[in-house]
Amino acid sequence: MSFGFLELFVLLFLVFLVLGPKRIPGLLKALGRGVRDFTAEFSKEREKELPGKDDDERRRDP
């Protein structure tokens, strides 16, 4: 199931009508914080799994 341009436009218009122009910036700000926190946590987990450049150099040098 995919959304076309018209469906996406109608959905955004309904959200705008329900929430109003004053609450949308706060909602988008909270959404942005959530995405930033998620990506930061994902990056931390990935760094733990993959050895960094410093780790490789330490293993090679006795």
Side-chain angles (χ1 to χ4, degrees):
M1 177 177 174
S2 64
F3 289 104
F5 178 74
L6 183 61
E7 289 89 1
L8 186 61
F9 180 75
V10 170
L11 182 65
L12 291 175
F13 183 73
L14 290 175
V15 168
F16 184 75
L17 284 177
V18 170
L19 295 179
K22 292 183 180 181
R23 293 177 62 190
I24 289 177
L27 178 69
L28 294 177
K29 190 181 290 187
L31 182 65
R33 282 189 203 127
V35 169
R36 185 177 56 218
D37 291 345
F38 176 76
T39 56
E41 189 67 31
F42 181 75
S43 295
K44 287 179 187 177
E45 290 296 322
R46 186 174 170 128
E47 286 176 5
K48 287 179 185 177
E49 292 175 4
L50 298 175
K53 185 176 180 180
D54 295 335
D55 294 337
D56 290 339
E57 289 176 359
R58 280 188 229 140
R59 286 187 211 140
R60 283 187 239 157
D61 295 333

